[in-house]
Amino acid sequence: MMKYKKTQPTISYQDFYNLAKSANSFNSLTGKFYDVISINDSTMNFVRKSSGMQWKMDLKGVHQAYLELNDFKTANFKPYVPRTHSPALGLLLHLMLLVK
């Protein structure tokens, strides 16, 4: 089982948001590639390259999951971000907020 360590366990939402805004693209844990289209308020809009499907992800939910979770299995993101568990984890890894 893969254990991740938080690099900024008490990061504020504003700092997290500023980091997330800098991401133009990221990969999910399973290697799916996502292009960020836009961020409106706390919603990140992105497209999965392989399928062309567009997704929305609540950054507040991702931030809350980051602060509260200690075990970063994709299933554990379910209460925080509906349907975007893998991209949520991928984003945290991309932003270097989680390291192996």
Side-chain angles (χ1 to χ4, degrees), residues 1-26:
M1 191 182 97
M2 187 63 65
K3 276 297 261 183
Y4 296 104
K5 186 169 145 13
K6 298 180 193 181
T7 56
Q8 299 183 47
T10 57
I11 190 170
S12 70
Y13 176 70
Q14 192 56 56
D15 288 347
F16 170 77
Y17 181 81
N18 290 337
L19 267 181
K21 271 199 326 203
S22 71
N24 299 317
S25 62
F26 59 95

Side-chain angles (χ1 to χ4, degrees), residues 18-84:
N18 290 337
L19 267 181
K21 271 199 326 203
S22 71
N24 299 317
S25 62
F26 59 95
N27 291 312
S28 73
L29 197 57
T30 54
K32 300 267 190 291
F33 187 81
Y34 300 100
D35 260 334
V36 178
I37 301 164
S38 63
I39 297 179
N40 302 320
D41 297 324
S42 65
T43 304
M44 176 180 273
N45 300 290
F46 56 94
V47 62
R48 181 189 282 174
K49 276 294 219 217
S50 60
S51 66
M53 269 190 69
Q54 287 198 23
W55 298 83
K56 290 180 180 332
M57 183 163 63
D58 178 24
L59 292 175
K60 286 186 173 149
V62 180
H63 176 251
Q64 190 182 358
Y66 179 73
L67 294 182
E68 293 178 10
L69 289 176
N70 288 312
D71 183 7
F72 289 93
K73 285 204 284 284
T74 49
N76 295 345
F77 282 86
K78 206 177 201 134
Y80 301 96
V81 283
R83 300 187 62 215
T84 54

